[in-house]
Structures are given as structure tokens and as C-alpha cells.
Amino acid sequence: MTTEVVILAAGQGTRMRSKLPKVLHPLAGKPMVSHVIDSAKKIQADAIHVVVGHGAEQVQQTLADNDLHWAIQQQQLGTGHAVAQAMPAIKPDSTVLIAYGDVPLIAAETLAKLVEAANDKTLSLLTVHLENPTGYGRIIRTSGAITAIVEQKDASEAQLLINEVNTGIMAVSAAKLNQWLPTLSANNAQGEYYLTDIIAMAVNDGMAVIAQHPQSAMQVEGANNRSQLAALERYYQQQQAQRLMTAGATLADPARIDVRGQLTIGEDIFIDINCVFIGDVSIADDVTIGPNCVIENSTIGAGTVIKANSVLENATVAEQCDIGPFARLRPGTVLANQAKVGNFVETKKAIIGEGSKVNHLTYIGDSNIGKEVNVGAGTITCNYDGANKSTTTIGDGAFIGSNSSLVAPVNIGSHATIGAGSTISGDVGDRQLSVARSKQKHIDGWKRPTKKT
Ligand code: UD1
Ligand code: CA
């Protein structure tokens, strides 16, 4: 039997007060609905259907890279109506798992268990017990067995006291859905086609309805406004912090780290406060990261120290490097072992060889720097002539004096020396000294101008 997932994402999300469709609001840097899609992928669903309505085009465009089936729900006539829009594309002998685009923290294990339990004779439903069940559909049990779901607005006084509620997430046979959904009526307090009415239909058909519960209620919390979204975000980040600490990182404050992507770490890592990790970041053993660093899609080798306020993007850093404070490593930066990039240094498409130092106030772009090079303070590689980018190469052991401009394309030989304040526009040979600045003049007894009266 195949498993097909239906994700409901047609609602407007009025309470977000946003031009962006609700399900595209990011959690940990990724649209809420993408979290649900990723969980569905983890259970190896054979097909994932997304029901869209409000902002359908934008949702489809944003998720275009996923292998998804789209069902359009022009008017939001209820959750039962929404699921019905996906049914024509679903194999009748499959198990259908229903999830929600605005309930992002649902875990793959929870979904897998629901699917496992569902068959021709069993519908599996995810429920939770809430201290305050207001707003949710209530689970009606008779002698312990689930017999129906009653929505808040349709519930009696006695039913409103029930604190076991419907999460909406369930696994059920497609054949049965095909049988039940066309018979739903909108004859209820909200005038909607309620998916929840299928529970009583299942019981009527002699099926068992079994309840399962998520490990944490946060898994089934939806985000209807930005405040709820922020609560989900904080919970998610706490989980990430716990995971990192378990894996061998010391966090100066587990409440002040944000992981927006995949962060892979070794052991004995220290991460100071307010660091943000974006995309795929991998950090080897014994790395120390100072406060306020932003690291995106980068690899950091063992023993490297990244000091406060450094920003790395698409950078590859080898072992025992020393970065920052206030360094900016832009895409294509590659540091070899023990390279140093100090304060107010910007690098882009720059290879910096083993043991080389670029310590202060420098721009290195489109450059290939060898080993044991010293780049003095204020050095600029002039890589752009207004139209084209050109490359600077610097050989092993070269010494670039402070405040030099290296006008690319240009090659500096190995062990060459550049005098401070030079503007170098021609190649410099190995072991040459090159000085390109105006000669110093001396005028004896110089009289300063005086103020005219
Ligand atoms: C639904 C359940 C309720 C449950 C609650 C959990 C029904 C009738 N009620 O109520 O038992 O406790 O979820 O949060 O199912 N959607 C569509 N198309 C529609 C209607 C809804 O795509 O026509 C989507 C919404 O975008 C949303 C989800 O389905 O993601 C739930 O819809 P919502 O209107 O919020 O349902 P609730 O009234 O909260
Ligand atoms: Ca809801």
C-alpha cells in the first residue's frame, strides 16, 4: 500500500496581517509549510499533495523545487472540502495522511506512527489533552472509544468541558475518504464542510478510530498570528540548542543562539551569545566562536577561533585559523590551515594560504595568496575596473607593506616585498622589492602661511 500526504494550505491567515501567505511565513528561516513537507519526505511518502487557495501562485512558486502535486481550492469551504480537492489525484488503494501547512513542528516519527496504524479497518487520529481546549474540536468518546469530533462552535456545554482535542492530523484509507467526503454536509454552526465529520462516519462503517498523541504538544501547535509563530520559533530554537549541547557544544546561553538550517558540529565547541547559523554549516572539533557572529553555508576546521562580530558566508575555513573580531568572509573565501584574517578585513573569492596573515583594515577580492604571506594594514586588491573583475596572485612568503593598492590583474612573486603606500600595477618578480610611491622631499626653513589681516 502506498502513502500519500495531503497538506492543507489554502487558508488566508488573516491574523498574520501580511501580504505573504501564512504558510510561507518563515520558521527558522524556512517557510512553515516547508517544515511539514520535509517531515512528509522523511516518512517516504509516495506523493505529497498541497491544497492551496489564498496566494496559491506565490506558494507554488516558492515551493517549485519540491516534487509536489497541487490541488487548488478556489473557495475555502472547510477542511473536508479542502481534502476533497486533492482526492482525484490520489491512488484509491493508498493511505492518506492529512497535515497542515501552518502546523510546522510536526515530527516525522509522529506521522510515521499514524500511517503505520491506519488500514481498511482503522483510522488513526492525533489528539492532545489541553488545559485550555477553547477553539479546538473536542474528541467524543463512548465507553472509551472515539465516536465523533464536535467543533467548538457546535458543542454543547457538557462537550465544551472535554479537554481531549483534535489536532486535525490523521491517517485514513483513500477508498474510505472517496466514499465519505462527497456525503459531507455544511449544515453546522460555521456552514463549512468539516473534515471532522468523517470520524462519526468511520464509526458508523464499523471502523475503529484510534488516538495517538505527539511527544510534545508543540508539535501540533499552529501559528495563526505572529505571536504564536514567535513562540514556535523559540521552542524550535531551544530544541536546537539542546541538540547542540548533547552533541558536544558549550553554549554561553542556550536561549541566545539561532539555527536556521543544518548545523553539524564536532565536540568541544564553544559558542558565545547571539550567534546565528544559516543554511548548511559544519563546525569541526575545538572551534571557538565569539559573540554576535553570523555564519552561513560555511565549513569551519578544527581548532579555529572566530572572534566577536564576524560574518562568514560561503566560506571554507581549514584548521586552527584565527578570524576576527569584525572580519567579513564573503562567498568563495578559502582559508588554509593557520591563516589569520583580522579586524575590518573583507575577503571575497580569496584563497589565503597556510599561515598567511591579513590582519587589519584590508580588502582581498579575486585573489590567490600563497603560504606565509603578510598583508599589511590597509592593503586593497583593486579587482574591479568598473566593468571587469581581475585576479591578484601573491606568491609564498611575500610581504605587502601597509596601505598598498594592488591593481589587478597583477602577480606578486614569492618572497617579494612591497614598500608601504605603493600602488602596484605591474608584476613583481620573486624576491624583488617594489616601491611605487612619490619620493619624500625636504625643504629647510619652511615658513607656514600666516593669516591675512
Ligand atoms: C480544525 C478542526 C478542529 C481542530 C483544529 C486544530 C475541522 C472542521 N476542525 O479547526 O477540529 O481542533 O483544526 O487546529 O477540521 N483549510 C483549508 N481550506 C479550508 C479550510 C481550512 O485549506 O477550506 C486549512 C487552513 O488553512 C488551516 C487548516 O486547514 O491550515 C485548518 O483550518 P482552520 O479553519 O484553522 O480549522 P479550525 O477551525 O482551526
Ligand atoms: Ca486553526
Side-chain angles (χ1 to χ4, degrees), residues 405-413 418 423-429 432 434 436:
S405 312
L406 307 177
V407 183
V410 69
N411 301 301
I412 314 289
I418 305 297
T423 296
I424 301 293
S425 48
D427 289 356
V428 178
Q432 276 187 333
S434 181

Side-chain angles (χ1 to χ4, degrees), residues 8 10-11 73 76-79 82 100 102 136-137 151 166-167 194 196:
L8 304 193
Q73 189 192 25
Q76 281 65 62
L77 301 179
T79 48
Y100 298 81
D102 59 351
Y136 290 88
E151 291 303 297
N166 174 34
T167 66
Y194 290 164
T196 44

Side-chain angles (χ1 to χ4, degrees), residues 196-263:
T196 44
D197 285 351
I198 69 166
I199 302 302
M201 294 176 181
V203 174
N204 220 27
D205 277 3
M207 283 179 76
V209 176
I210 60 150
Q212 294 187 355
H213 311 297
Q215 279 217 319
S216 152
M218 290 306 274
Q219 278 193 32
V220 297
E221 287 281 340
N224 293 311
N225 55 43
R226 295 183 200 241
S227 162
Q228 288 172 346
L229 178 58
L232 293 182
E233 175 82 33
R234 280 311 104 205
Y235 176 80
Y236 177 90
Q237 294 302 344
Q238 273 169 29
Q239 300 286 100
Q240 295 298 311
Q242 290 301 327
R243 179 181 69 80
L244 294 172
M245 291 188 288
T246 306
T250 294
L251 304 181
D253 182 355
R256 282 182 289 172
I257 176 171
D258 273 28
V259 178
R260 301 176 193 154
Q262 281 311 117
L263 173 57

Side-chain angles (χ1 to χ4, degrees), residues 7-13 15 22-23 51-53 73 75-83 99-103 135-138 149-152 165-168 190 192-197 220 222 224:
I7 300 171
L8 304 193
Q12 184 167 18
R15 282 173 285 165
K22 173 160 81 166
V23 294
V51 182
V52 286
Q73 189 192 25
Q75 272 184 295
Q76 281 65 62
L77 301 179
T79 48
H81 180 260
V83 173
Y100 298 81
D102 59 351
V103 182
Y136 290 88
R138 307 298 205 281
I149 297 175
V150 177
E151 291 303 297
Q152 164 93 19
V165 305
N166 174 34
T167 66
Q190 299 185 80
E192 285 181 8
Y193 296 93
Y194 290 164
L195 177 65
T196 44
D197 285 351
V220 297
N224 293 311

Side-chain angles (χ1 to χ4, degrees), residues 269-343:
I269 285 158
F270 176 77
I271 302 175
D272 214 323
I273 59 167
N274 293 336
C275 290
V276 181
F277 299 89
I278 301 167
D280 285 323
V281 175
S282 109
I283 300 176
D285 292 349
D286 305 309
V287 167
T288 295
I289 301 175
N292 307 320
C293 291
V294 179
I295 302 181
E296 180 169 358
N297 292 321
S298 295
T299 306
I300 316 295
T304 284
V305 177
I306 302 176
K307 295 178 186 135
N309 299 298
S310 294
V311 177
L312 284 70
E313 184 186 354
N314 290 71
T316 307
V317 175
E319 296 180 6
Q320 291 176 311
C321 292
D322 192 333
I323 298 169
F326 297 99
R328 179 166 183 218
L329 275 52
R330 290 172 52 207
T333 297
V334 178
L335 305 191
N337 290 344
Q338 289 159 0
K340 284 185 77 173
V341 174
N343 44 227

